[in-house]
Amino acid sequence: MEFNYTYKGNTSVVEQSGNTQMSFSPDTKRPPTYFIGELRQNVAFREAISALHDVVISDLRFKPKDKTAYKEWRTKQEEINWDLVMAMRQDVTTKIKALQAELNQLNQRSYERLRPYYQAREEFRRFVWQKQLDFYFVFDPVITVHPDEVFFECFSVDESTYGRLGASYEVFKNISEFAWGTTNVDYSAALYDEFQKIRSYKTTQLQVDPSGFEVKTTNEEAYKEVKIDLPDSWVRGFLQVSSAMCLPATRFDLHPMDIHNICFVLRRHKEKKGPRSMRYHLKPGEPVRVVFEPWDIEVVCPRSLYTGCQEQTIRVWGRRRLHILERLIAVAKKFTVHLLGTGMPSFYVADLGDMSFTLGLSGWTANDWAGAGNFDLMAPRADVDEWTQKIIFDGLRENWVETADSLSQRLNLSRTAVLGALSAYTQAGRVIYDLNKEVYRVRELSREPLPMERLRFANEREKSATRFLSQNAVQVTAVSEKDSALTVQGSIQDKAKTYNPALTIDRDERIINAECTCNWHQQNKLYKGPCEHILALRMQHARQYR
């Protein structure tokens, strides 16, 4: 999937003795989106935007070790040992020393002659490394200006980590002008180094200029054309994050020192074998306990009490990605943890006062958001006609940010229809769910409409579910309601076999539990999303009882 961007110049930071001007270069082909204001909370913004950089370059996929250097070292050791053996003979010791002295002189003379070559090679290596580092930013972060805040979003290289930094207008002062909207910004590797120079005693100005940032620089082209060919999985993963945010989750707060203790244990210990999980032990009214496997090290969080009503234990993997939060410990008031379940994604929302940082982690590092996290299939699935969807989206666009309940009352539409439409736009990349404030926001991920025919069906399960419906092979056998949750049971005839799926849907039309007798579900449960039989049963129930 190819994305075309046009930037006028490069994003840059102009630093002087008393002030710093941060200029983010936007995509000039998008509708004008701009913002100009001075930072009021310099240090906190510096740490938060630096943590966002850690998300962008995050790539924790397994890399096999290169043993070439070890083998060379081993060969040298064998030679050294042989030299030592030979040196034990008194009659050759003098000769060896003389030869070594002569060899050292020859090596020194050789190095002096080749020094320019070695220096040039090192400079070239650093140049190539810096250029390759820019390739980490395969999809430039998007910046969105809303009536209540400005927020940045990015996705990691390994497609397993999502980061969002939201800054309310209280973070800025002397705001001169702004226009609501979303645009991509040029975000180079060198910009991160400039972020580190932000200081509290300097005036720092953040600019998102509709003209493309008129920055006086030399030897720079007026416009920079960028064409990025992204895999469908990368784009789909970005869309999956907001769908996962909408799902029911176990929620609790952690004190910043508790996050420090978690990261401290991970820094001090290196696992050599599995399991490599963290177990959250949650008991109502008691401190949260975290157990690290395989060492069974327990961290008790006395400052963080679990206020839920049900005792449970949840295991999460890919824990070393939590190091991204380390820079935020000093400036955060608390961290709110959202756990979707064992082996499911997790979200950590850092409360930075007038700012918030959301870190979204897939079930584990190798299980990226797109490859096995089909969470849009578990989102609200109400059938809403195209005209009603447009009315709901236009209604949300009037205020840019709103809750589903407020939008439902204002437009005089059912909450189910509103959630179904918002879910469809979320999966299309036009709406995002803000986990921090629990509201929906307009956010156009790309300038052109995304090819949903390629992104909608990343797997064959939903296609199979649609096939079952067209063949009238789905029957709803029982429907019951308890504690505002609807339980649906049914049977599906798939060729010569009959499957008996069952699912539980909450009042927000979300799947909170499901079972099926098929082999796929028995192996994966809901860790990779619902099977085609569960999906087909849900669709059939929606048709019969809507």
Side-chain angles (χ1 to χ4, degrees):
M1 186 180 304
E2 188 176 88
F3 288 81
N4 297 323
Y5 304 116
T6 299
Y7 299 120
K8 187 174 183 179
N10 294 321
T11 290
S12 63
V13 175
V14 179
E15 184 182 13
Q16 298 177 358
S17 59
N19 63 81
T20 302
Q21 179 179 342
M22 302 169 55
S23 298
F24 289 90
S25 185
D27 184 3
T28 57
K29 292 183 178 180
R30 282 201 174 209
T33 299
Y34 52 91
F35 176 89
I36 301 176
E38 294 182 8
L39 282 178
R40 187 193 305 271
Q41 303 174 15
N42 300 40
V43 176
F45 184 86
R46 180 192 67 201
E47 297 304 309
I49 200 71
S50 299
L52 200 70
H53 163 271
D54 293 339
V55 174
V56 175
I57 66 172
S58 175
D59 186 2
L60 298 180
R61 290 171 292 190
F62 174 75
K63 303 176 182 63
K65 292 184 178 180
D66 184 5
K67 297 184 178 180
T68 303
Y70 168 77
K71 292 179 180 180
E72 293 178 355
W73 175 84
R74 188 63 186 176
T75 301
K76 291 181 180 180
Q77 287 297 110
E78 292 178 355
E79 293 177 355
I80 292 175
N81 292 339
W82 177 252
D83 291 341
L84 292 176
V85 172
M86 295 297 296
M88 293 177 60
R89 299 185 179 183
Q90 187 66 29
D91 55 341
V92 297
T93 300
T94 304
K95 295 182 180 180
I96 289 177
K97 289 183 178 180
L99 291 174
Q100 286 180 340
E102 183 180 356
L103 180 61
N104 290 337
Q105 294 179 358
L106 293 175
N107 289 337
Q108 184 64 26
R109 291 170 58 187
S110 175
Y111 177 79
E112 291 296 332
R113 288 196 301 268
L114 295 176
R115 175 178 291 180
Y117 164 75
Y118 292 140
Q119 292 178 345
R121 186 178 65 177
E122 179 64 17
E123 292 177 359
F124 178 74
R125 185 193 66 81
R126 293 180 180 178
F127 170 79
V128 172
W129 180 85
Q130 190 68 21
K131 289 298 181 182
Q132 288 178 341
L133 186 62
D134 280 336
F135 292 147
Y136 283 143
F137 305 92
V138 291
F139 189 46
D140 289 326
V142 292
I143 180 172
T144 303
V145 181
H146 266 208
D148 60 332
E149 70 176 26
V150 179
F151 61 90
F152 300 80
E153 292 178 273
C154 67
F155 211 46
S156 66
V157 177
D158 58 13
E159 304 177 11
S160 71
T161 308
Y162 164 84
R164 178 186 182 276
L165 170 61
S168 69
Y169 291 149
E170 297 299 324
V171 178
F172 306 93
K173 60 182 179 179
N174 300 331
I175 300 176
S176 58
E177 55 181 337
F178 59 89
W180 305 335
T182 300
T183 184
N184 294 87
V185 294
D186 175 40
Y187 190 63
S188 62
L191 188 61
Y192 171 77
D193 297 329
E194 299 296 332
F195 283 143
Q196 311 312 305
K197 301 176 182 178
I198 297 177
R199 295 293 185 269
S200 59
Y201 55 83
K202 288 185 178 182
T203 300
T204 303
Q205 187 180 61
L206 173 67
Q207 292 189 9
V208 182
D209 195 308
S211 65
F213 299 99
E214 294 286 353
V215 182
K216 295 181 179 179
T217 56
T218 58
N219 300 324
E220 295 289 347
E221 297 179 357
Y223 288 90
K224 180 178 66 175
E225 294 285 347
V226 180
K227 292 185 179 181
I228 303 175
D229 189 11
L230 294 175
D232 292 349
S233 62
W234 203 97
V235 182
R236 180 175 172 81
F238 215 115
L239 304 181
Q240 292 286 358
V241 173
S242 194
S243 295
M245 289 181 179
C246 301
L247 297 177
T250 301
R251 176 177 173 175
F252 55 90
D253 293 336
L254 288 181
H255 190 274
M257 282 305 300
D258 297 326
I259 294 293
H260 165 75
N261 292 335
I262 291 174
C263 295
F264 180 76
V265 172
L266 295 176
R267 291 290 188 191
R268 290 291 299 271
H269 298 82
K270 177 69 174 179
E271 64 277 356
K272 295 183 179 180
K273 60 179 181 179
R276 298 176 173 86
S277 68
M278 286 170 49
R279 296 199 311 266
Y280 284 97
H281 293 267
L282 309 174
K283 190 173 182 179
E286 294 188 3
V288 175
R289 294 186 298 114
V290 185
V291 177
F292 296 84
E293 297 177 324
W295 318 292
D296 288 334
I297 299 175
E298 181 178 272
V299 173
V300 181
C301 307
R303 309 172 186 84
S304 307
L305 299 180
Y306 178 58
T307 57
C309 57
Q310 182 181 0
E311 182 178 356
Q312 53 185 320
T313 300
I314 300 177
R315 299 175 69 190
V316 296
W317 283 263
R319 57 197 180 187
R320 296 199 177 274
R321 292 173 292 177
L322 292 178
H323 290 316
I324 295 174
L325 300 175
E326 284 183 311
R327 295 198 65 153
L328 305 177
I329 294 175
V331 294
K333 296 181 178 179
K334 66 176 181 179
F335 291 84
T336 302
V337 184
H338 301 256
L339 304 178
L340 271 63
T342 296
M344 301 283 278
S346 56
F347 295 91
Y348 297 79
V349 181
D351 182 2
L352 308 177
D354 295 322
M355 293 186 293
S356 67
F357 184 91
T358 301
L359 178 67
L361 307 177
S362 61
W364 53 92
T365 305
N367 180 16
D368 58 64
W369 284 100
N374 302 286
F375 303 104
D376 58 343
L377 307 184
M378 301 169 67
R381 280 307 218 199
D383 292 330
V384 184
D385 60 88
E386 184 176 351
W387 178 252
T388 304
Q389 287 187 14
K390 187 177 185 304
I391 292 176
I392 294 173
F393 181 77
D394 291 342
L396 178 62
R397 197 174 183 86
E398 292 177 4
N399 297 329
W400 287 83
V401 52
E402 198 166 354
T403 63
D405 291 332
S406 174
L407 192 61
S408 174
Q409 295 176 4
R410 186 163 61 86
L411 299 179
N412 196 23
L413 294 172
S414 67
R415 190 172 188 272
T416 300
V418 171
L419 285 173
L422 292 177
S423 176
Y425 281 110
T426 296
Q427 295 157 24
R430 306 189 66 185
V431 172
I432 182 178
Y433 183 74
D434 185 348
L435 193 62
N436 180 47
K437 296 184 178 180
E438 299 181 349
V439 294
Y440 286 90
R441 297 180 179 275
V442 175
R443 190 267 279 126
E444 301 280 359
L445 182 59
S446 63
R447 182 175 62 251
E448 301 86 4
L450 295 174
M452 297 311 298
E453 66 279 358
R454 292 168 55 184
L455 300 175
R456 178 64 170 169
F457 300 105
N459 58 82
E460 296 296 326
R461 284 173 284 157
E462 196 166 7
K463 286 187 177 180
S464 299
T466 306
R467 176 174 56 84
F468 292 145
L469 293 178
S470 62
Q471 296 175 353
N472 296 323
V474 186
Q475 291 185 355
V476 179
T477 58
V479 178
S480 60
E481 186 172 357
K482 182 180 179 182
D483 298 332
S484 300
L486 190 68
T487 300
V488 182
Q489 298 178 345
S491 62
I492 296 178
Q493 188 70 29
D494 186 5
K495 297 180 180 178
K497 296 183 180 181
T498 301
Y499 299 99
N500 301 107
L503 58 93
T504 302
I505 306 173
D506 67 2
R507 61 186 298 269
D508 289 330
E509 300 291 328
R510 300 172 297 188
I511 297 178
I512 58 177
N513 192 21
E515 293 292 338
C516 186
T517 56
C518 70
N519 181 62
W520 195 92
H521 180 81
Q522 297 300 318
Q523 290 183 346
N524 301 286
K525 302 299 181 183
L526 290 177
Y527 298 155
K528 297 185 177 181
C531 67
E532 61 266 28
H533 309 108
I534 295 174
L535 291 173
L537 177 62
R538 177 175 186 169
M539 294 176 183
Q540 181 65 22
H541 173 266
R543 286 185 176 184
Q544 293 183 203
Y545 295 91
R546 64 180 177 180

